[in-house]
Amino acid sequence: MKLLYQSSMAGWKVWAPTLAAAILSTLHGCGAAEADRLIPLDSHLFHSLRRISLPVVSPDQQRALFATSYYDPDANKEYSYISILDIELGNTTQLTPVFEGSDRASNLLWLGPSTAGYLSKGALYQHDLAPHTNGTLLFNATQSINSATYRSSSGLLLFTASTLADGKISSVAKYLNEEKNRTDSAMVYNNLWARHWNKWMGDQKSTLFAINTTREAYGSWNLGREANLMQGLPPTKDQLLRWEVEGYTASEDGEHVAFVVRNPGPDMAWSTNVDIYLTATDGSRIPKLLTGTFKGAASSPTFSTDGSAVAWLQMETPGYESDINRIYVHNITTGNVYSVARTWDLSPQSILWSADNKVLYALTPDRGDRRLFSVEIATGKHQPLTGYGFVSNVARVGSSKLLVVYSNVTESSDIYTIDVGSSVSGLRGPMKRLTSINGDKLGGVYLSEAEDFWFTGALRDQVHGWILRPAGFNATKKYPLALLIHGGPQQASMHAFGLGQWNPNMYASAGYATVIINFHGSSSYGQKFTDSIHQQWGGYPYEDLMKGLDHVISTYSFVDASRMVALGGSYGGYMANWINANTDRFRALVAHDGQFNVVAGYYSTDELWFIEHDLGGVPFTTSGRDKYDKYNPERLADKFKTPTLFIHGANDFRLTLEQSLAPWTLLRRKGIPSRLVYFPDEDHWVNKMGNSMRWYEEVFKWMAQWTSS
């Protein structure tokens, strides 16, 4: 077995904004000869970059497990391995051999002070901390395990597995055997929610189980009988619409578990009623509904360290998937429920208790960054602990430190610690970097920093965007422009290093001045700004994009306004079609899994709540149809004139294939150059690495064709 790397990053302390400024100065302040020595970020290098998982802190708070995965473009294979991180020293040591493909390890956990655990091929494995050794099988249920959590203080093992209506793992094998012998393949549905994202709904649903375990002195395990913790939930009439766990967490003492479920029923396709239940892990009680007051979506349950309370995030508006997340706390002993920081105008995405239970740490989008905030429970006072960049995960380390995964536009994800002192005193020092996962690959590579700008957009609001300068930048030259339009639409582009199709430095390295604009409807700028897109799909966002481009062209003299391309996916793909119907200022467009016919899109999508809320009704009423037609690109099909590359995955049930076939047919029939890239094995995203490389190849070829670059 090959040791991939061992690193020591101890003592390297950085302030993210300071580092960003240093990089910007290096890139744009260095001499031309030095800048020319930086190689572009090409597709082969980009897709070979390593990715890291959420680090899992050991019971003694001194180490953390994390998984690293990577793709070999030449072999077209994916690999992964698990490493141990010494949190104090910053030393990283590879623990396991390299797993190939589907053998990869996931769901890392600690099974004791010196025993790691992970899932592989649907089974739970244990692994002593001796480097370069193989794990041994610990638990293999008759049905594949989807996730697992262990509490060493009580020996509690929680896991999820798919079951039939009887909730028993043992019944599944017989069912699968009967399915093999069926003489037909029909799937029959009486209610909507027949499919979601990329799969058709079947008889099996993810169910939460608990097992009590003990470990002998010589290391062997005794596993008790699994208990279904969802027993006692109200019965459902349609067996295809049953309770299915979407997430869960256990108290540190293993006494309680809180789990997230979508309320099953005939209205599942147009309801956002997602609930959280609390129950005892011994299965002795019927689960208690914590969120019955609300009909919006609940998420991110987390227990206080002493197990006395559980907090969660709650959307209060029914049917609105982008409502602001409010923080709620339930006292398990008294049953009292209260809201925290209710006047805060940002929407946290996940929360974690501090060690002393006085503060909640909240990962929260804020003006194009995803920052870590501390929120005092007693007062609601909140303050950012990080600035520029994107924090993707957070975990406690003892009483005064946090372990986070952080990236920004020029740095891929790495693990850092943050010293927070006492939880209410706030940040006590800079982030300390512990890993450099891609340092060997990205050293000497051109990575443009984001240059932020603000301009007056729709409603005379200030709108945020940024620009990246192209590789080999020369201020005396003119460069084509790539406008990247984010999806959602109630999402936002972030100062992050994404490893998918929309990393802006890929476009900058391809020679484009790359522009991002967080138009009206984007998250992270206050809830009013997010809500403003209601019944305005083609209104305020389009106005922002056009005014933002005008600002860029007038501000940055190196932009060639005659050679511009707009690209977007999902809602961004819708906007590419809307742009095609409303302006000819772009040489070409790229629409990935976008929407062309809003009315037809309603009748074929999997989630009706989203479009019903955003457009203000349903298209089968007169008033509703007018709202759908107002910003429907298909209604303006006669005005389409810009060459467009359409990309779509066959298994996208959010925006079905016809939404790309239709505008492609339109342009081809009108004699306008267009191209269709079809992935029969992809969904709303491009998940397979080989397909992602082909995606970039087709996109850059199309852009170069129309910008003469």
Side-chain angles (χ1 to χ4, degrees):
M1 183 207 61
K2 179 182 178 182
L3 180 65
L4 295 185
Y5 72 91
Q6 186 169 5
S7 65
S8 177
M9 299 293 299
W12 184 5
K13 298 184 178 181
V14 297
W15 283 107
T18 304
L19 181 62
I23 294 173
L24 182 60
S25 174
T26 299
L27 292 178
H28 302 319
C30 61
E34 184 179 352
D36 288 342
R37 286 197 293 269
L38 296 174
I39 64 172
L41 179 64
D42 63 27
S43 182
H44 189 282
L45 172 59
F46 178 73
H47 287 90
S48 71
L49 292 177
R50 304 179 188 98
R51 304 161 184 241
I52 58 173
S53 70
L54 165 70
V56 182
V57 179
S58 63
D60 63 9
Q61 309 291 293
Q62 296 180 5
R63 294 161 293 182
L65 296 169
F66 69 94
T68 303
S69 60
Y70 64 98
Y71 173 69
D72 182 345
D74 298 319
N76 189 30
K77 292 183 178 180
E78 296 187 48
Y79 303 93
S80 65
Y81 55 93
I82 300 173
S83 298
I84 304 176
L85 171 67
D86 185 311
I87 297 173
E88 183 63 31
L89 299 178
N91 295 328
T92 300
T93 304
Q94 185 179 327
L95 176 63
T96 67
V98 176
F99 303 100
E100 180 179 331
S102 60
D103 290 343
R104 67 187 304 167
S106 64
N107 197 131
L108 309 187
L109 63 162
W110 288 90
L111 297 171
S114 59
T115 306
Y118 59 87
L119 295 183
S120 181
K121 290 186 174 182
L124 177 61
Y125 287 79
Q126 62 179 336
H127 198 297
D128 292 332
L129 299 189
H132 327 316
T133 56
N134 292 305
T136 57
L137 180 65
L138 173 59
F139 176 52
N140 188 13
T142 56
Q143 177 71 339
S144 292
I145 300 171
N146 301 321
S147 65
T149 297
Y150 182 72
R151 292 290 180 259
S152 56
S153 60
S154 61
L156 175 73
L157 175 65
L158 294 168
F159 69 94
T160 59
S162 296
T163 67
L164 302 171
D166 64 3
K168 298 178 180 179
I169 297 177
S170 57
S171 302
V172 177
K174 179 182 178 182
Y175 164 81
L176 294 176
N177 187 58
E178 291 173 348
E179 283 292 295
K180 291 179 182 178
N181 297 321
R182 279 181 58 180
T183 59
D184 69 280
S185 60
M187 301 170 69
V188 181
Y189 299 92
N190 294 311
N191 290 291
L192 293 179
W193 205 250
R195 59 184 189 173
H196 193 225
W197 279 120
N198 59 4
K199 69 174 183 177
W200 288 88
M201 294 302 171
D203 294 315
Q204 299 183 62
K205 305 296 180 184
S206 183
T207 305
L208 179 62
F209 293 91
I211 290 181
N212 288 317
T213 71
T214 57
R215 193 174 188 183
E216 305 295 344
Y218 50 85
S220 66
W221 290 80
N222 296 315
L223 303 180
R225 185 178 181 85
E226 68 265 10
N228 183 339
L229 299 184
M230 299 170 69
Q231 293 284 4
L233 292 176
T236 58
K237 295 180 180 180
D238 188 337
Q239 294 306 304
L240 293 177
L241 302 181
R242 301 200 322 273
W243 300 97
E244 184 167 24
V245 65
E246 296 186 357
Y248 64 94
T249 186
S251 58
E252 292 297 322
D253 59 13
E255 293 292 320
H256 293 93
V257 62
F259 60 89
V260 182
V261 288
R262 187 175 298 277
N263 195 16
D267 64 347
M268 288 180 75
W270 61 91
S271 169
T272 57
N273 190 5
V274 178
D275 285 319
I276 294 175
Y277 282 82
L278 177 71
T279 193
T281 55
D282 60 6
S284 62
R285 303 176 208 164
I286 294 176
K288 177 182 179 180
L289 177 61
L290 298 183
T291 53
T293 306
F294 309 102
K295 299 300 180 184
S299 63
S300 192
T302 176
F303 283 94
S304 58
T305 57
D306 61 6
S308 66
V310 59
W312 72 90
L313 299 176
Q314 181 70 56
M315 295 184 182
E316 298 176 352
T317 305
Y320 186 22
E321 69 175 14
S322 299
D323 191 20
I324 191 169
N325 272 320
R326 303 290 187 189
I327 301 173
Y328 278 85
V329 177
H330 168 82
N331 185 298
I332 295 175
T333 302
T334 66
N336 185 38
V337 177
Y338 55 95
S339 181
V340 175
R342 188 161 185 84
T343 60
W344 194 18
D345 196 34
L346 293 178
S347 186
Q349 294 180 332
S350 71
I351 50 177
L352 175 73
W353 292 80
S354 63
D356 61 10
N357 299 316
K358 295 180 179 179
V359 159
L360 287 168
Y361 298 114
L363 293 179
T364 308
D366 181 17
R367 292 169 295 174
D369 298 305
R370 194 184 195 224
R371 302 182 181 184
L372 179 64
F373 281 80
S374 65
V375 182
E376 290 185 23
I377 295 174
T379 66
K381 179 183 176 182
H382 47 84
Q383 59 178 323
L385 302 180
T386 61
Y388 168 81
F390 189 91
V391 180
S392 54
N393 298 105
V394 60
R396 288 187 303 269
V397 179
S399 60
S400 61
K401 287 185 180 180
L402 299 174
L403 199 66
V404 300
V405 177
Y406 167 87
S407 75
N408 60 47
V409 173
T410 61
E411 295 181 290
S412 64
S413 292
D414 273 306
I415 302 172
Y416 295 73
T417 55
I418 299 176
D419 188 349
V420 293
S422 64
S423 62
V424 296
S425 66
L427 191 65
R428 207 166 67 177
M431 293 197 302
K432 176 183 176 182
R433 188 172 188 168
L434 301 183
T435 64
S436 181
I437 299 298
N438 287 304
D440 59 329
K441 288 179 173 286
L442 292 178
V445 173
Y446 178 82
L447 295 171
S448 174
E449 187 56 67
E451 300 177 46
D452 293 87
F453 58 81
W454 293 80
F455 64 94
T456 302
L459 302 175
R460 300 196 61 77
D461 289 336
Q462 288 299 294
V463 178
H464 183 204
W466 52 91
I467 186 171
L468 279 69
R469 300 182 186 230
F473 177 74
N474 184 328
T476 65
K477 293 183 178 180
K478 290 277 191 177
Y479 294 92
L481 179 145
L483 174 64
L484 306 186
I485 307 172
H486 72 70
Q490 293 97 341
Q491 296 176 1
S493 295
M494 293 282 167
H495 293 121
F497 197 96
L499 290 172
Q501 284 72 56
W502 305 101
N503 185 308
N505 259 304
M506 285 290 287
Y507 301 86
S509 274
Y512 296 87
T514 304
V515 173
I516 286 170
I517 294 171
N518 280 334
F519 45 79
H520 276 81
S522 300
S523 60
S524 80
Y525 299 91
Q527 194 61 29
K528 181 180 178 181
F529 192 85
T530 300
D531 294 345
S532 66
I533 200 173
H534 181 62
Q535 298 187 44
Q536 282 287 328
W537 268 17
Y540 302 148
Y542 176 77
E543 183 179 345
D544 289 341
L545 292 172
M546 296 304 105
K547 287 182 175 179
L549 278 179
D550 293 340
H551 172 82
V552 166
I553 292 167
S554 64
T555 304
Y556 301 96
S557 60
F558 56 85
V559 170
D560 187 345
S562 69
R563 293 190 293 156
M564 299 194 300
V565 179
L567 312 87
S570 194
Y571 172 83
Y574 158 87
M575 182 53 70
N577 286 323
W578 187 249
I579 285 171
N580 208 337
N582 285 277
T583 183
D584 60 358
R585 71 189 299 185
F586 294 95
R587 284 276 189 93
L589 302 167
V590 177
H592 169 94
D593 286 45
Q595 190 164 67
F596 169 69
N597 190 325
V598 176
V599 176
Y602 173 87
Y603 291 113
S604 60
T605 192
D606 54 345
E607 293 180 356
L608 294 176
W609 65 72
F610 158 64
I611 194 168
E612 287 185 6
H613 174 274
D614 273 21
L615 300 189
V618 294
F620 48 82
T621 65
T622 302
S623 61
R625 183 58 174 254
D626 291 341
K627 295 174 181 177
Y628 278 65
D629 279 338
K630 182 177 181 180
Y631 294 120
N632 187 358
E634 191 276 336
R635 182 177 59 83
L636 303 175
D638 62 311
K639 300 184 183 300
F640 276 54
K641 61 179 71 70
T642 304
T644 305
L645 171 65
F646 299 98
I647 308 173
H648 220 102
N651 300 315
D652 183 358
F653 300 154
R654 184 61 37 84
L655 295 169
T656 59
L657 176 61
E658 290 73 21
Q659 293 292 333
S660 285
L661 284 175
W664 179 58
T665 298
L666 167 68
L667 293 186
R668 296 304 303 174
R669 184 64 181 84
K670 294 179 70 173
I672 299 170
S674 60
R675 183 176 297 156
L676 174 68
V677 177
Y678 168 66
F679 290 105
D681 53 351
E682 297 289 4
D683 46 41
H684 199 59
W685 299 272
V686 177
N687 302 294
K688 297 182 177 180
M689 294 297 232
N691 285 344
S692 181
M693 292 187 71
R694 183 61 182 268
W695 190 97
Y696 272 111
E697 176 187 340
E698 293 293 339
V699 167
F700 286 149
K701 185 165 57 177
W702 183 256
M703 294 172 68
Q705 176 182 343
W706 295 103
T707 60
S708 303
S709 59

